[in-house]
């Protein structure tokens, strides 16, 4: 690892031993450009290997079966159905064209506890269909019109086409023995027809991806990890499409919250793992959205600059050597990394007088949102940081040196996380440029990003942008724009339905 390009700034109130240890942490977490370019090179190799097969890369590179680009001129009314744990979201999106104008109607339903398990999976689906029927009654329907719908389901699905998939497992409290193996699209169609609903399911967006038995494992708290598993694969495609409808130059979609993923357009001939004959046409000029599943980058190979703290966190998770990039960059792990570093300093009598607290000792006792508060604390006595230490972590008192150290540790962990995200984006951009994807001289290339960490962490976005400028040639970096997307999941799912219609009308 080369020397960091960011000089160490002395702490005002720390003693010599504290300064030395913080400088050592600085060297570990502030990565050199040499290291970052090595990460880009590793990422590019993993990306290309993942397009060939599922066995030789940490990046799963999952085909979404969505081809083509929204223009923002499309019009129509589309439905989206999303099942997230015990919540059902039904949504109507009216695309108005005119460069991406749209209107949204959405309603939420709850799955009763007694429907979480049973002997007949059809009972659960009938309840979902009943919710959809109620929703249509609320928003109204047009006579003699069949509404295209995209479904985002929290089940693990083996997807073989945009509108075809069989359930591999249900997960998170759902227990229906006859649910496994079901053709979910066929079943939804059948039950909606019986109910007399004017709906055609044109796309499923597989919210929970399982690549192997070991991938069923979670990070730390199963409750949190269940949700990031569900959202990660779906979100990246939906973020991309939701933004692309309003900004037609969008070619990358990223979700960065509890979990992380990136989706981008790849020329179909490069996706050699596709076995479908319809995608093996000679001289095929189409591009397909690919889910990189970059959360898993660095998991089986030493391709990321891990510290002792990263390895400790990974060992103590319930899925060691999986989702290492996620553990170094996202909301589910950043606070835990800070907590481990703080305890390391406590054990060396360099922080809080060598004393800890029950809260700080408890796994995930330092919430990632505390980092946001500490980093932006510009008060002379670091009062907001004091509140985090004494009121949130329940430590009896803290010195100014203690507060400085906590703030600096948050800055170091947050800085590295945003730098690595920027580096991964740079790697994808370089790959796209290599294959002539997505960069027009007039419009450049837009990157859509969504997620609580990216949106709420004040310094995250500026650091990502700075990393892109530092790692990409100026003529490329100047053509990039980064947009933060809200309401992306449900809107994006509806736009998947619109894209499915376009693909069916013109497969070429």
């Amino acid at each position: 690892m080369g020397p960091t390009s960011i000089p160490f700034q002395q702490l005002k109130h720390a003693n010599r031993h504290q300064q030395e240890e913080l400088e050592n942490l600085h060297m570990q977490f502030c990565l050199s450009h040499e290291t970052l370019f090595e990460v880009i090179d590793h990422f590019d190799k993993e990306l290309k290997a993942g397009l060939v097969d599922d066995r030789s890369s940490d990046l799963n590179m999952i085909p979404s079966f969505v081809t083509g680009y929204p223009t923002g001129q499309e019009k129509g009314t589309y439905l989206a159905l999303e099942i997230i744990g015990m919540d059902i979201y039904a949504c109507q999106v009216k695309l108005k064209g005119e460069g991406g104008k749209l209107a949204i109607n959405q309603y939420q339903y709850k799955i009763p506890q007694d429907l979480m398990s049973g002997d007949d999976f059809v009972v659960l689906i009938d309840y979902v269909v009943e919710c959809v029927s109620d929703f249509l009654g609320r928003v109204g329907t047009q006579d003699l019109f069949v509404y295209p719908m995209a479904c985002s389901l929290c089940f693990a699905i083996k997807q073989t086409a945009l509108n075809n998939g069989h359930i591999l497992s249900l997960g998170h409290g759902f227990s229906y023995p006859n649910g496994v193996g079901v053709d979910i699209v066929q079943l939804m169609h059948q039950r909606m027809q019986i109910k007399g609903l004017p709906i055609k399911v044109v796309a499923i967006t597989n919210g929970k991806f399982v690549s192997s038995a070991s991938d069923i494992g979670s990070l730390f708290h199963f409750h949190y990890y269940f949700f990031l598993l569900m959202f990660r694969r779906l979100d990246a495609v939906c973020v991309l499409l939701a933004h692309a409808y309003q900004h037609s130059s969008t070619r990358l979609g990223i979700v960065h919250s509890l979990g992380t993923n990136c989706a981008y357009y790849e020329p179909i001939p490069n996706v050699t793992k596709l076995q479908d004959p319809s995608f093996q046409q000679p001289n095929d000029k189409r591009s397909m959205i690919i889910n990189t599943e970059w959360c898993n980058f660095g998991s089986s190979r030493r391709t990321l600059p891990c510290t002792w703290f990263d390895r400790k966190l990974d060992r103590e998770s319930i899925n060691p050597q999986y989702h290492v990039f996620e553990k170094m960059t996202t909301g589910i792990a950043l606070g835990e990394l800070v907590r481990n570093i703080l305890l390391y300093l406590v054990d060396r009598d360099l922080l809080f007088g060598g004393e800890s607290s029950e809260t700080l000792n408890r796994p995930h006792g330092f919430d990632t949102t505390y980092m946001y508060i500490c980093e932006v604390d510009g008060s002379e006595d670091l009062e907001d940081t004091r509140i985090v230490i004494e009121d949130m972590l329940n430590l009896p008192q803290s010195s100014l040196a203690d507060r400085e150290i906590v703030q600096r540790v948050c800055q170091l962990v947050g800085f590295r996380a945003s730098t690595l995200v920027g580096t991964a984006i740079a790697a994808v951009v370089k790959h796209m440029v290599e294959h002539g994807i997505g960069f027009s001289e007039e419009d450049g290339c837009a990157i859509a990003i969504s997620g609580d960490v990216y949106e709420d962490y004040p310094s995250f976005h500026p650091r990502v942008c700075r990393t892109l400028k530092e790692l990409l040639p100026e003529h490329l970096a100047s053509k990039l724009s980064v947009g933060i997307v809200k309401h992306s999941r449900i809107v994006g799912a509806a736009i998947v339905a619109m894209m499915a219609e376009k693909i069916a009308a013109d497969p070429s």
Side-chain angles (χ1 to χ4, degrees):
M1 183 185 296
T4 175
S5 57
I6 302 170
F8 174 71
Q9 292 183 338
Q10 295 284 321
L11 281 68
K12 294 179 181 178
H13 303 281
N15 61 36
R16 178 173 62 85
H17 297 297
Q18 290 170 325
Q19 298 278 13
E20 289 174 354
E21 193 58 58
L22 265 293
E23 188 167 5
N24 177 43
L25 290 170
H26 177 91
M27 293 298 295
Q28 294 182 64
F29 282 85
C30 291
L31 306 175
S32 68
H33 284 168
E34 176 188 349
T35 299
L36 298 180
F37 281 119
E38 289 175 358
V39 171
I40 288 176
D41 184 57
H42 289 310
F43 193 101
D44 185 61
K45 291 175 181 175
E46 294 284 308
L47 186 153
K48 290 173 180 173
L51 292 171
V52 176
D53 60 55
D54 295 329
R55 300 178 300 277
S56 55
S57 174
D58 287 336
L59 301 179
N60 286 309
M61 306 302 290
I62 304 165
S64 71
F65 300 97
V66 178
T67 59
Y69 310 96
T71 65
Q73 303 307 317
E74 297 91 347
K75 297 180 181 181
T77 301
Y78 299 89
L79 302 179
L81 175 69
E82 189 172 34
I83 300 178
I84 307 173
M86 296 179 70
D87 294 316
I88 299 171
Y89 295 90
C91 181
Q92 177 198 67
V93 177
K94 293 184 177 180
L95 304 180
K96 300 181 178 183
E98 301 177 37
K101 292 184 179 180
L102 53 83
I104 306 170
N105 285 310
Q106 181 173 308
Y107 200 77
Q108 180 180 357
Y109 300 86
K110 285 285 185 183
I111 298 177
Q113 186 65 46
D114 62 345
L115 289 183
M116 296 296 288
S117 61
D119 297 325
D120 190 359
F121 186 60
V122 172
V123 175
L124 174 62
I125 297 302
D126 279 345
Y127 177 78
V128 173
V129 170
E130 190 65 42
C131 292
V132 174
S133 177
D134 177 79
F135 177 72
L136 289 181
R138 294 171 183 272
V139 300
T141 58
Q142 181 180 334
D143 290 341
L144 303 177
F145 184 80
V146 177
Y147 292 87
M149 172 184 275
C151 295
S152 166
L153 308 172
C154 61
F155 313 132
I157 297 172
K158 174 68 173 178
Q159 190 170 351
T160 55
L162 192 53
N163 63 347
N164 182 267
H166 290 77
I167 295 176
L168 296 176
S169 66
L170 299 177
H172 192 60
F174 289 103
S175 178
Y176 285 92
N178 70 338
V180 176
V182 165
D183 182 330
I184 187 61
V185 173
Q186 182 180 8
L187 179 60
M188 293 284 286
H189 274 312
Q190 181 188 64
R191 306 315 292 180
M192 286 184 181
Q193 283 181 343
I194 291 173
K195 188 68 178 176
L197 300 185
I199 292 174
K200 180 180 181 181
V201 179
V202 295
I204 52 172
T205 48
N206 187 359
K208 184 179 178 185
F209 173 68
V210 178
S211 63
S212 64
S214 52
D215 200 29
I216 297 173
S218 315
L219 269 174
F220 315 101
H221 294 312
F222 176 80
H223 175 75
Y224 285 141
Y225 194 57
F226 167 76
F227 283 102
L228 71 90
L229 268 173
M230 287 194 300
F231 296 161
R232 187 171 54 223
R233 186 178 177 195
L234 163 66
D235 261 1
V237 173
C238 291
V239 166
L240 194 164
L241 290 174
H243 196 258
Y245 183 68
Q246 298 180 316
H247 304 273
S248 60
S249 62
T250 307
R251 295 294 180 267
L252 284 85
I254 296 164
V255 57
H256 201 76
S257 186
L258 290 177
T260 185
N261 191 19
C262 170
Y264 75 103
Y265 281 95
E266 180 73 46
I268 286 177
N270 295 343
V271 191
T272 55
K273 70 200 303 182
L274 276 172
Q275 300 300 314
D276 191 324
S278 65
F279 295 112
Q280 296 176 338
Q281 303 169 13
N283 303 316
D284 196 330
K285 302 295 185 184
R286 294 174 298 168
S287 292
M288 178 184 289
I289 300 178
I290 300 293
N291 278 292
T292 63
E293 290 290 309
W294 73 7
C295 57
N296 202 48
F297 176 57
S299 295
S300 64
R301 301 161 181 82
R302 290 188 174 269
T303 50
L304 282 170
C306 293
T307 66
W308 177 85
F309 303 102
D310 298 300
R311 289 188 283 273
K312 177 179 186 294
L313 185 148
D314 182 50
R315 281 194 304 272
E316 293 173 355
S317 71
I318 64 171
N319 65 334
Q321 295 184 314
Y322 279 87
H323 304 146
V324 170
F325 182 73
E326 194 160 81
K327 293 171 186 173
M328 295 175 72
T329 62
T330 68
I332 197 147
L334 293 181
E336 184 66 359
L337 274 173
V338 170
R339 188 185 75 90
N340 281 335
I341 296 171
L342 297 184
L343 288 175
Y344 167 85
L345 296 172
V346 166
D347 290 343
R348 281 150 185 77
D349 293 324
L350 297 173
L351 185 64
F352 307 140
E355 298 294 328
S356 185
S357 68
E358 184 179 344
T359 303
L360 187 58
N361 289 338
R362 187 175 65 243
H364 303 276
F366 192 101
D367 194 86
T368 297
T369 57
Y370 299 166
M371 297 172 65
Y372 313 168
I373 298 169
C374 296
E375 272 211 46
V376 299
D377 187 358
S379 60
E380 189 69 26
D381 58 354
L382 297 176
E383 173 62 14
D384 290 341
T385 305
R386 183 198 68 77
I387 291 172
V388 168
I389 295 170
E390 297 178 14
D391 294 353
M392 305 299 185
L393 301 180
N394 296 313
L395 283 146
Q397 60 184 5
S398 60
S399 66
L400 260 178
D402 290 332
R403 299 171 206 169
E404 271 191 309
I405 290 169
V406 170
Q407 184 182 60
R408 182 64 59 86
V409 170
C410 290
Q411 289 170 344
L412 290 173
V413 172
F415 180 85
R416 189 191 64 171
S418 53
T419 300
L420 286 175
V421 170
T423 303
I425 296 173
V428 177
V429 168
K430 283 192 168 186
H431 173 81
M432 294 174 68
V433 171
E434 178 183 324
H435 293 282
I437 309 165
F439 284 80
S440 70
E441 292 297 326
E442 182 178 345
D443 299 324
C445 176
I447 300 169
I449 304 183
S450 180
D452 291 344
V453 170
Y454 201 91
E455 295 171 26
D456 298 338
Y457 201 151
S459 57
F460 212 92
H461 176 66
R463 288 170 178 163
V464 168
C465 292
R466 184 172 70 180
T467 301
L468 288 171
K469 289 179 180 178
E470 290 177 352
L471 299 182
L472 292 172
E474 195 278 333
H475 72 278
L476 292 182
S478 64
K479 293 179 181 178
L480 295 177
S481 62
V482 179
I484 297 177
V485 185
K486 297 182 184 292
H487 308 298
S488 57
R489 275 202 322 273
I490 203 75
V491 173
I495 294 175
V496 169
M498 181 271 289
M499 295 298 293
E501 270 201 330
K502 289 181 69 172
I503 293 166
D506 183 12
S508 62

